[in-house]
Amino acid sequence: MSMYQNMVNVIEQKITPLAGAMGSQRHVIAIRDGFIAALPFMIIGSFLLVFIFPPFSPDSSWRFARGWLSFSQTYREQLMLPFNLSMGVMTFFISVGIGASLGKHYKLDPVMTGLLSFMAFLLVAAPYKDGHISTQYFSGQGIFTALITAIYASEMYALLKRRNITIRLPKEVPTGVARSFEILIPVVVIVFTLHPLNLLLEATTGMILPEAIMHLLAPLVSASDSLPAILISVFICQILWFAGIHGALIVTGIMNPFWMANLSANQTALAAGEALPHIYLQGFWDHYLLIGGVGSTLPLAFLLLRSRAVHLRTIGKMGVVPSLFNINEPILFGTPIIMNPVFFLPFTLVPMINATLAYIATKLGWIAQVVSLTPWTTPAPIGASWAANWAVSPVIMCLICMAMSAVMYYPFLKAYERTLLKQDEERGVQEQENPITAN
């Protein structure tokens, strides 16, 4: 049995069932839905950073730049308000989104489940002292707490509903009122479990729950920003996609909490005028590793346009425009790349090499780091610059990655092209020899 066949068997028998189970797991789906629900608010909040921190040197002599810098410094507090009420409270949107998703799964009222999850988060993450509520954990530092409390609250609501531990009102009572009373017992249970736990934890350790969670996860968060973490996540994504499974959904579902926590830390450092601490964020993933879609296939799409094989040239024409916006299903399934042994090596290695180049260059300080969340459909060079507060260096890095991708894909494409041309030639000979059968 060939090495390729052994690899296919492992993918089909081991990896595919595991990935399928993970992709359909209700909590993974809920976390993904929670981040999707929060995405519009976080994108707009991140976009405002360019107005708050314009990409100009403080000692710039350009009149326009100096005017913009002066304006942003004078009205910094007013400009920060929309940012603080979007990116600054991302955990609110995520909590509600996760609760609503799990509510739909359990056939509970999504609005009530979302609000219950939100309340559960506030109970442990909004300490009230001296007449003020602390907002420290409303942004990235509270991400993991929001995930845990939302899942706990939703699961508790579902458990109580299954056990019929609820307040039932007569059918004549309006539906909205009945639902309000139905959730009373879950609210009581959440309050009398999470609040005492938080108080006990604070009394014994001096830390409230979000602080304790971040303390426990600190090594994991730090490891998530390393080159090995990048390479492992990219490799898993590529292997799953090669098997026809949407690996990006699974990987981003796992990495999103880490990316959001790191993004919040970078934004905090930017506002304080400090060095940005993190490299591996969603903007890094989207604009260096998924140029044109998973596998960084935008350069391949351009190469297909000049292919001598009619089939490949047609796929290139169909796929090049969507690939500009990081949608490459026409390329993946039309070429095809999925389960095609010719493209296994470049499809797997290209994003990993791009990741290594971009990470090392960023680590050396040659490339500006990510401080904004951008839509994943933003064309790579534009998105790379936008994510780094419109710096030029990410555009250059993105173009280098594209050139490297083209160089790596080219020999494999030519080999596959020769195979198709030979098949077309053999098919033409057969049709000439058997014209009646061909007709």
Side-chain angles (χ1 to χ4, degrees):
M1 186 179 291
S2 67
M3 182 183 297
Y4 172 71
Q5 190 59 47
N6 285 330
M7 181 193 70
V8 170
N9 290 339
V10 170
I11 291 174
E12 289 181 345
Q13 297 173 15
K14 304 292 185 183
I15 297 177
T16 299
L18 178 61
M22 286 183 62
S24 59
Q25 208 277 332
R26 64 181 182 277
H27 298 125
V28 173
I29 293 174
I31 291 172
R32 183 194 67 201
D33 291 347
F35 280 100
I36 290 174
L39 194 59
F41 306 98
M42 293 192 290
I43 288 175
I44 296 301
S46 295
F47 184 75
L48 294 172
L49 282 178
V50 72
F51 298 102
I52 303 170
F53 304 100
F56 305 118
S57 172
D59 56 356
S60 174
S61 58
W62 186 21
R63 187 173 180 179
F64 175 76
R66 293 188 64 82
W68 191 343
L69 286 166
S70 175
F71 177 82
S72 67
Q73 290 170 358
T74 304
Y75 298 100
R76 179 65 50 84
E77 187 175 340
Q78 291 87 340
L79 292 172
M80 284 293 291
L81 181 62
F83 173 82
N84 290 331
L85 294 179
S86 51
M87 284 297 299
V89 293
M90 67 170 76
T91 48
F92 293 6
F93 308 116
I94 292 169
S95 293
V96 174
I98 292 174
S101 179
L102 284 173
K104 289 179 182 177
H105 175 82
Y106 288 120
K107 295 181 171 48
L108 303 171
D109 182 79
V111 174
M112 288 298 185
T113 314
L115 292 176
L116 181 66
S117 300
F118 179 43
M119 187 204 71
F121 170 73
L122 289 179
L123 271 175
V124 299
Y128 183 81
K129 291 182 180 179
D130 301 325
H132 299 283
I133 293 178
S134 172
T135 62
Q136 180 180 357
Y137 299 104
F138 290 177
S139 57
Q141 291 190 60
I143 286 283
F144 296 99
T145 305
L147 305 186
I148 293 169
T149 53
I151 290 172
Y152 169 72
S154 303
E155 290 290 341
M156 182 58 68
Y157 185 12
L159 175 65
L160 294 171
K161 184 69 180 290
R162 284 198 301 271
R163 300 291 177 85
N164 288 321
I165 305 175
T166 184
I167 297 175
R168 294 183 178 276
L169 297 179
K171 294 181 179 180
E172 294 77 15
V173 176
T175 304
V177 177
R179 286 176 179 171
S180 298
F181 276 86
E182 182 183 89
I183 204 172
L184 282 177
I185 292 179
V187 169
V188 171
V189 171
I190 296 302
V191 169
F192 282 93
T193 53
L194 288 182
H195 188 48
L197 172 65
N198 208 36
L199 294 175
L200 177 64
L201 192 63
E202 187 176 19
T204 54
T205 66
M207 297 183 292
I208 60 173
L209 187 60
E211 189 178 359
I213 290 173
M214 288 304 295
H215 181 74
L216 289 173
L217 293 177
L220 194 57
V221 172
S222 177
S224 72
D225 194 37
S226 63
L227 182 58
I230 299 174
L231 296 179
I232 290 171
S233 58
V234 173
F235 180 73
I236 292 172
C237 176
Q238 299 306 117
I239 289 293
L240 293 178
W241 255 115
F242 190 76
I245 300 169
H246 203 310
L249 280 180
I250 295 172
V251 172
T252 55
I254 295 170
M255 293 303 301
N256 261 327
F258 299 98
W259 287 341
M260 290 302 108
N262 292 343
L263 177 63
S264 179
N266 274 14
Q267 291 174 341
T268 301
L270 176 67
E274 300 171 353
L276 306 186
H278 299 293
I279 295 174
Y280 189 31
L281 289 90
Q282 187 164 351
F284 187 97
W285 167 272
D286 285 340
H287 305 307
Y288 296 138
L289 316 185
L290 273 66
I291 302 172
V294 66
S296 290
T297 56
L298 179 59
L300 176 62
F302 287 118
L303 292 175
L304 289 174
L305 291 174
R306 300 180 61 83
S307 174
R308 291 186 297 132
V310 176
H311 167 71
L312 295 180
R313 198 161 59 247
T314 303
I315 294 301
K317 292 176 182 177
M318 291 173 55
V320 69
V321 173
S323 290
L324 290 172
F325 301 95
N326 303 320
I327 300 168
N328 66 341
E329 278 77 2
I331 303 294
L332 294 179
F333 294 100
T335 305
I337 292 176
I338 303 302
M339 296 303 288
N340 186 341
V342 176
F343 287 104
F344 174 74
L345 280 178
F347 183 69
T348 306
L349 293 180
V350 162
M352 298 179 73
I353 292 173
N354 287 350
T356 304
L357 291 174
Y359 184 87
I360 292 174
T362 308
K363 198 75 173 176
L364 292 173
W366 297 348
I367 302 174
Q369 291 163 243
V370 174
V371 293
S372 295
L373 187 65
T374 58
W376 64 271
T377 51
T378 309
I382 299 173
S385 178
W386 178 358
N389 209 22
W390 298 105
V392 177
S393 55
V395 175
I396 299 172
M397 186 71 247
C398 190
L399 294 175
I400 292 173
C401 288
M402 291 176 68
M404 183 65 67
S405 302
V407 169
M408 289 196 62
Y409 271 116
Y410 183 76
F412 295 92
L413 173 61
K414 298 306 288 186
Y416 185 54
E417 181 185 83
R418 286 193 293 269
T419 301
L420 292 182
L421 290 173
K422 185 177 180 180
Q423 290 174 355
D424 289 342
E425 184 179 342
E426 291 174 351
R427 191 178 300 114
V429 171
Q430 290 177 356
E431 289 177 356
Q432 290 178 3
E433 293 177 351
N434 304 287
I436 297 177
T437 304
N439 290 330

